Amino acid sequence: MKVWLLLGLLLVHEALGEVTGQQPPKNKRPKEPGENRIKPTNKKVKPKIPKIKDRDAADVTPKAQSIMIHMMDKGRFQKPAATLSLTAGQTLELRCKGNKIEWSYPTYLDTFKDSRLSVKQNERYGQLTLVNSTAADTGEFSCWAQLCHGYVCGRDETKTGSTYIFFTEKGELFVPSPSYFDVVYLNPDKQAVVPCRVTVPSAKVTLHREFPAKEIPANGTDIVYDVKRGFVYLQPHSDHQGVVYCKAEAGGKSQISVKYQLLYVEVPRGPPSTTILASSNKVRSGDDISVLCTVLGEPDVEVEFRWIYPGQKDERPVTIQDTWRLIHRGRGHTTRISQSIMTIEDFETTDVGYYICTAQNLQGETTVATTVEFS
């Protein structure tokens, strides 16, 4: 009886231990820290972006840096802004850091080999100086460092500097032009510019047709105004041809520009379209002969000619004359005729053979030939 009672008490004790969450026996494996405690979560984690120093150096493009400095009065200097406005008569001095500096400046100064301009290369910088400045000097001034590999040098695009300078002068709202009348060619394949540039950046500039007299609106889609270039025809066509001029207003004053003749041209771009023609392909001994090489092209595209002829190796005396002229083919279409004519006097045996003409422009060259022999 006592034995059964003792066993019953032991069973009741174990049951109560399970219900009340008693600790497991000491010989059971203990849990690892954090075990069975992982909970699902929707928290967003930002991806780590590697620092620049950890990236491949080849993917980092060198940043361009301005190397230009504008020398002011009293020894002061500053990096010039994209545009500057100076008073005509002032001395301009620009410096660009580097031991091999190249410069670009308004073509007006180059065309006339102006003695007011000087460019020097010092040990550590290039120096451009312009004295007695005028309104005509208005334009872009830029510099760049030369990057050389052996004897081959090129422009270092990471070390450049530029600024557009307006030289204001009393009575000159427009940048003066060397002529009173200029020609602008309108080609359907490229933009055309009526170069009405001003010396006062805030000036109001309008474009006008002479006949019939009216203002031509710069609507921003067909024609736009760029203070550094003038009126830009984005897509020229034959309706734009005629005589135009510009009008500028600033500070209560107004001024009229020179006139511009707009001519429409429609000649395909490419190597010269060339023909060759001899005055006669059969010549008697002692006669004179001429061979004509002709190119039809765009009005503003220059052509150069080269000749090969039978008497060349014997230094046979010949006369070569190059000329060009513009012809109007109706409806405002204009073509440039470039010609080279070779003349041989007192035809003889050494002159018999092939006459070869090569015409060249910026797009390429074309070679044509004809033969001349005894009759």
Side-chain angles (χ1 to χ4, degrees):
M1 181 70 179
K2 292 181 179 180
V3 174
W4 288 106
L5 180 60
L6 181 61
L7 289 173
L9 291 172
L10 289 173
L11 291 173
V12 171
H13 179 74
E14 287 185 8
L16 289 173
E18 290 178 3
V19 172
T20 57
Q22 281 186 331
Q23 295 295 325
K26 292 183 179 181
N27 61 354
K28 192 173 182 179
R29 181 183 68 83
K31 293 182 179 181
E32 295 293 334
E35 186 176 2
N36 293 337
R37 295 181 184 177
I38 299 176
K39 297 181 180 180
T41 178
N42 294 325
K43 184 178 180 181
K44 295 182 180 180
V45 179
K46 293 183 179 180
K48 291 185 178 181
I49 302 175
K51 296 180 180 180
I52 293 295
K53 64 180 181 180
D54 297 330
R55 298 179 187 173
D56 187 356
D59 296 336
V60 181
T61 304
K63 186 178 180 181
Q65 55 177 312
S66 176
I67 59 174
M68 180 178 284
I69 294 175
H70 178 207
M71 305 305 296
M72 315 284 283
D73 56 353
K74 298 180 180 179
R76 296 182 299 115
F77 61 88
Q78 67 179 18
K79 287 192 175 183
T83 59
L84 292 177
S85 188
L86 303 178
T87 303
Q90 283 185 262
T91 295
L92 171 68
E93 182 180 340
L94 299 173
R95 294 183 182 181
C96 288
K97 293 181 288 185
N99 57 11
K100 192 179 289 290
I101 298 296
E102 294 291 328
W103 293 88
S104 175
Y105 38 82
T107 54
Y108 168 83
L109 294 168
D110 228 4
T111 303
F112 297 95
K113 304 297 180 183
D114 206 313
S115 59
R116 297 178 299 119
L117 176 73
S118 68
V119 175
K120 297 179 180 179
Q121 179 64 56
N122 297 298
E123 184 179 355
R124 295 185 179 181
Y125 61 89
Q127 179 180 353
L128 180 148
T129 306
L130 176 65
V131 299
N132 299 323
S133 58
T134 69
D137 302 324
T138 297
E140 188 87 23
F141 291 79
S142 60
C143 68
W144 59 93
Q146 286 283 80
L147 188 62
C148 298
H149 299 283
Y151 294 101
V152 180
C153 295
R155 179 169 178 161
D156 187 349
E157 296 294 345
T158 65
K159 296 179 180 179
T160 63
S162 67
T163 183
Y164 189 96
I165 303 179
F166 297 90
F167 289 99
T168 59
E169 186 173 350
K170 186 177 180 180
E172 294 285 359
L173 292 182
F174 285 106
V175 178
S177 172
S179 62
Y180 293 100
F181 194 86
D182 205 354
V183 177
V184 175
Y185 296 107
L186 305 174
N187 189 301
D189 298 330
K190 62 180 181 180
Q191 297 180 355
V193 179
V194 177
C196 297
R197 297 186 299 127
V198 291
T199 61
V200 180
S202 60
K204 178 184 177 183
V205 189
T206 51
L207 180 64
H208 300 261
R209 182 183 297 277
E210 187 176 52
F211 183 82
K214 67 174 184 178
E215 181 179 335
I216 303 173
N219 51 26
T221 56
D222 193 25
I223 303 174
V224 298
Y225 183 70
D226 184 340
V227 71
K228 297 181 181 180
R229 300 173 66 194
F231 285 96
V232 183
Y233 287 73
L234 301 178
Q235 295 180 323
H237 51 76
S238 58
D239 292 342
H240 289 142
Q241 63 188 335
V243 178
V244 300
Y245 62 90
C246 302
K247 182 179 180 180
E249 297 178 353
K253 297 181 180 180
S254 64
Q255 187 177 357
I256 301 297
S257 73
V258 300
K259 295 180 180 179
Y260 299 90
Q261 173 73 58
L262 274 56
L263 296 178
Y264 185 74
V265 296
E266 198 169 15
V267 179
R269 280 191 170 275
S273 174
T274 312
T275 59
I276 191 169
L277 179 66
S279 56
S280 177
N281 294 103
K282 292 186 179 293
V283 184
R284 293 179 301 180
S285 178
D287 286 352
D288 296 341
I289 182 178
S290 61
V291 184
L292 178 64
C293 194
T294 303
V295 170
L296 298 180
E298 295 183 68
D300 55 345
V301 176
E302 296 183 358
V303 178
E304 293 183 356
F305 294 96
R306 301 192 306 273
W307 285 93
I308 298 176
Y309 53 96
Q312 195 167 15
K313 60 183 179 180
D314 297 324
E315 298 184 356
R316 175 77 157 97
V318 298
T319 301
I320 299 175
Q321 184 177 11
D322 296 344
T323 61
W324 67 270
R325 70 182 189 277
L326 298 179
I327 61 170
H328 304 286
R329 300 183 293 116
R331 294 192 305 163
H333 292 199
T334 305
T335 301
R336 178 182 181 130
I337 297 183
S338 302
Q339 293 181 317
S340 181
I341 184 169
M342 173 183 286
T343 304
I344 301 100
E345 297 179 350
D346 193 15
F347 192 83
E348 55 188 52
T349 305
T350 190
D351 300 318
V352 174
Y354 284 96
Y355 287 77
I356 303 172
C357 171
T358 299
Q360 181 176 10
N361 64 15
L362 294 177
Q363 282 74 46
E365 62 180 36
T366 304
T367 300
V368 290
T370 187
T371 58
V372 180
E373 55 189 39
F374 279 121
S375 60

